Amino acid sequence: MKKKLANLDIRIQFAAIAFLLLVFAYGAYTLAVAPQGAKAAKLQKDADAVQLQIYQRRSEIKKGLNPPTIETADLFRLARAMPDRTDMPGIILTLSDLARSAGIKFDLIEPVNGGATLTGSYETDRIHLLFNGDFYGLSDFLYRLRSLVSVHDGKLEASGRLFITDTVTFNVLTDSFPKISAELFVNAYVYGVTAPPAAAPTTTNADGTTTTTPASTDTTTPPEGATAAGATP
């Protein structure tokens, strides 16, 4: 057997020795090195989890010490979209300006008597509009009205007051389209609820009659040069 091995080519002998060394190295790695590597990977994973907890705790502490601030610009946009007073002249001027920008004109713009509705912390005021003209111009007006207040990527954008078109009724004569007549009802939003006026106190006299004391009124005169919201110079 030894003689046969000696007769083998030297390169074959070296190749056999190298193969045996590779088999031995692989066996040693499998038995000794691989388990330690898996253990090291697990330790590294545990360390990363602890580090993440530290970052989270630091973030929570920072939020507690420094509460988030409210951007002033956001408050201005919110106040513009939903002011705290009705300002009916300003509402009518805004609707007229939007109609003019859309190339149309309303025959009538008027508030609805008793059209104010209280809902929670806001109020809606109902506006009645009558229109005779081009359908596409009216569509442009409705688009402009809806675009006064919008939300993009969770951010409020307000270039004017918040209006909601409640009802639109069309009437088209035969072969007259796009000429139409329409009746619209639009709601304007007001933030806050105004408490009803207090009842005037009454006093009972000695002869059995009652006397009503008029409640005092407080009127405020607007400053000179003030104009309604939405008016154009």
Side-chain angles (χ1 to χ4, degrees):
M1 183 69 180
K2 293 183 179 180
K3 186 176 181 180
K4 289 182 179 181
L5 291 175
N7 292 333
L8 290 176
D9 188 89
I10 189 65
R11 289 176 297 180
I12 296 176
Q13 295 182 24
F14 279 122
I17 294 173
F19 176 75
L20 293 175
L21 290 176
L22 287 174
V23 172
F24 176 78
Y26 176 77
Y29 174 82
T30 303
L31 295 176
V33 178
Q36 297 299 323
K39 185 177 180 180
K42 183 178 183 302
L43 292 175
Q44 182 63 42
K45 185 177 180 180
D46 294 341
D48 292 340
V50 173
Q51 189 67 31
L52 179 60
Q53 291 180 0
I54 294 173
Y55 288 149
Q56 291 176 345
R57 293 291 177 86
R58 287 179 178 177
S59 177
E60 292 173 358
I61 294 174
K62 185 178 293 185
K63 287 181 180 179
L65 295 177
N66 300 296
T69 57
I70 300 176
E71 296 291 341
T72 305
D74 294 338
L75 294 178
F76 276 118
R77 284 191 290 267
L78 182 59
R80 181 184 298 167
M82 191 180 291
D84 58 358
R85 61 192 182 97
T86 301
D87 186 22
M88 189 56 64
I91 291 175
I92 295 175
L93 285 173
T94 300
L95 295 174
S96 298
D97 288 343
L98 286 176
R100 189 180 303 111
S101 300
I104 64 173
K105 182 179 180 180
F106 287 101
D107 297 333
L108 176 67
I109 303 177
E110 65 175 0
V112 177
N113 291 330
T117 303
L118 300 178
T119 305
S121 60
Y122 66 88
E123 174 184 296
T124 56
D125 294 306
R126 195 171 174 84
I127 317 298
H128 180 216
L129 303 96
L130 292 178
F131 171 77
N132 284 283
D134 182 69
F135 168 80
Y136 300 104
L138 181 61
S139 298
D140 186 22
F141 165 80
L142 293 175
Y143 171 77
R144 293 172 184 268
L145 187 68
R146 185 174 66 251
S147 300
L148 289 176
V149 179
S150 59
V151 177
H152 296 289
D153 298 328
K155 183 179 180 181
L156 176 67
E157 299 292 341
S159 58
R161 194 174 194 133
L162 175 63
F163 291 95
I164 298 297
T165 305
D166 184 31
T167 305
V168 180
T169 305
F170 294 104
N171 185 19
V172 183
L173 298 177
T174 305
D175 298 330
S176 64
F177 188 84
K179 296 297 181 181
I180 64 169
S181 61
E183 182 180 31
L184 300 84
F185 287 94
V186 174
N187 291 328
Y189 282 74
V190 182
Y191 176 76
V193 177
T194 304
T202 59
T203 304
T204 303
N205 301 322
D207 56 0
T209 61
T210 59
T211 302
T212 301
T213 304
S216 61
T217 58
D218 182 15
T219 59
T220 304
T221 303
E224 295 182 2
T227 59
T232 57

